[in-house]
Amino acid sequence: MQPDVSFAPDVSFVIAAYNAEATLDRAIASAIAQKGVSVEVIVVDDQSRDATLDVARAYPEDIVRVVALAKNRGPGGARNAGLDVARGRWIAVLDSDDAVFPGRIAAMIGRAEKADAQIAVDNLQVIREDGVVEDAMFPRQYLESLREISLATYIAGNVIFESKFNLGYLKPIFQRRFLDENRLRYDEKLRIGEDYILFAEALAKGGRCVVEPEIGYAYHIRSGSISRVLELHHVEAMRLADAVFAQTHRMDEAAQSAFARRGRSLRKAASFLAMVQHIKARSPLKAIRTALSDPAAVRHMGMPIAVRLRRVAAQFAVGAGR
């Protein structure tokens, strides 16, 4: 499928879908319902084993463009496939089990273009699996005080165990031209944390990110998914991606300091998960050796493993199952 350069909608929604037949309609409908902007919806089916592809193809082609991948590429790869065919001036990534409110994109684009910014974020409404609506993810006063997010602020907001408000949950929109000119795409080797790296790279490339404090994104919690998918190799992959980031991008002093703190937190998370792995495998000696090699990680063993796993995973804004 080749982009039609004759039409450039205000926004392209890229929805990477994997076994999402139960929720995909909700995501698509919310994207179509945007007010005050022209919309393109792109659904990328990542080799689903259920009826996801049928759900997407039930919409007319002029409303929903469908990309069916020949092999599973993971969340980053599926989103990249959508980015490659997107025609919108702005790109909005929408998870297949989430939704957006009708005035979201108009408000974000308006704020971004007024500030000549290439990235915009807004607040999220947390909705439990049973339908109960919880508080907004971020206090409005906190987002209002940020106004803009720098690279240092973003990295500091992704320090495991230390970030008061985890900025990894933010769902940015990007100016498509900025992504293309800087050759920015998701790291397909990452199954968790690919959102963080793309956002950080965009900021490192000089992208300005403005903050819209209103709630525009409905974040639906899936019970049980976090602790099940977070594994040691995910954290190690993130550490490797961070190392590549440090070699590729220049950071000011504040960003370097935040980056060092994030690195230490990832190391502790890796040690903790390694200990959990050894304990589950009934290898106490290996668990002890891991603890001795990184005493700081032992402090995180003070609470039940399941609770700590959930807290570690929550810091990574897991989306691997999507």
Side-chain angles (χ1 to χ4, degrees):
M1 184 186 301
Q2 296 298 320
D4 178 1
V5 295
S6 66
F7 173 62
D10 292 316
V11 63
S12 292
F13 277 97
V14 175
I15 305 176
Y18 176 71
N19 292 346
E21 64 174 325
T23 60
L24 183 58
D25 263 327
R26 178 178 64 200
I28 293 174
S30 73
I32 294 172
Q34 291 299 293
K35 296 179 179 178
V37 291
S38 54
V39 174
E40 171 184 60
V41 179
I42 302 169
V43 174
V44 183
D45 179 67
D46 198 15
Q47 277 286 299
S48 296
R49 297 189 298 269
D50 63 2
T52 294
L53 194 55
D54 294 332
V55 172
R57 285 178 170 164
Y59 290 85
E61 291 183 10
D62 60 335
I63 295 178
V64 177
R65 301 172 66 198
V66 179
V67 178
L69 297 182
K71 64 177 182 179
N72 182 275
R73 289 171 56 180
R79 290 168 183 162
N80 283 342
L83 289 177
D84 289 342
V85 301
R87 299 170 295 189
R89 294 188 301 111
W90 290 83
I91 299 290
V93 170
L94 173 59
D95 287 337
S96 60
D97 51 359
D98 291 336
V100 286
F101 296 112
R104 182 193 191 225
I105 295 300
M108 295 176 80
I109 291 179
R111 184 173 290 266
E113 294 185 342
K114 183 178 180 180
D116 194 24
Q118 297 75 37
I119 312 165
V121 296
D122 61 353
N123 210 343
L124 299 88
Q125 182 72 68
V126 180
I127 302 175
R128 293 191 339 212
E129 199 167 33
D130 58 7
V132 173
V133 177
E134 297 189 347
D135 294 335
M137 186 169 289
F138 301 97
R140 183 186 176 90
Q141 314 88 279
Y142 170 67
L143 293 184
E144 287 179 337
S145 68
L146 280 180
R147 301 177 68 88
E148 290 194 20
I149 295 177
S150 66
L151 178 59
T153 299
Y154 186 64
I155 296 174
N158 283 273
V159 174
I160 317 307
F161 306 126
E162 296 179 25
S163 305
K164 184 176 182 181
F165 300 111
N166 185 345
L167 300 184
Y169 280 103
L170 292 172
K171 300 293 184 179
I173 65 169
F174 296 97
Q175 187 183 69
R176 182 174 63 86
R177 184 179 63 187
F178 177 78
L179 292 180
D180 291 344
E181 288 177 350
N182 289 281
R183 299 181 180 179
L184 291 171
R185 289 295 188 266
Y186 289 95
D187 185 340
E188 299 192 19
K189 296 186 295 295
L190 291 174
R191 293 291 174 131
I192 294 177
E194 75 285 350
D195 293 319
Y196 164 80
I197 286 293
L198 179 66
F199 199 157
E201 286 185 330
L203 293 170
K205 289 284 189 178
R208 289 184 59 204
C209 177
V210 293
V211 180
E212 167 56 59
E214 295 292 339
I215 295 173
Y217 193 98
Y219 182 85
H220 290 259
I221 296 175
R222 296 171 299 150
S223 65
S225 64
I226 286 176
S227 61
R228 183 170 63 250
V229 301
L230 183 70
E231 297 177 6
L232 176 59
H233 67 90
H234 293 135
V235 180
E236 294 294 0
M238 283 188 284
R239 295 179 72 187
L240 178 59
D242 273 20
V244 173
F245 179 88
Q247 294 171 357
T248 309
H249 302 286
R250 296 184 62 180
M251 293 180 277
D252 61 22
E253 187 175 347
Q256 288 178 9
S257 177
F259 186 82
R261 294 201 310 275
R262 173 177 160 83
R264 290 192 294 271
S265 72
L266 285 174
R267 187 203 71 218
K268 286 189 286 187
S271 295
F272 170 77
L273 290 171
M275 282 190 288
V276 170
Q277 196 175 79
H278 295 322
I279 291 169
K280 288 183 175 180
R282 300 182 183 275
S283 302
L285 293 179
K286 290 183 179 179
I288 291 171
R289 282 197 294 271
T290 301
L292 292 175
S293 67
D294 191 0
V298 179
R299 292 198 296 270
H300 302 301
M301 297 297 288
M303 65 176 65
I305 287 176
V307 174
R308 175 52 61 185
L309 278 172
R310 285 195 295 272
R311 292 195 179 182
V312 173
Q315 288 283 338
F316 295 138
V318 172
R322 301 185 174 199

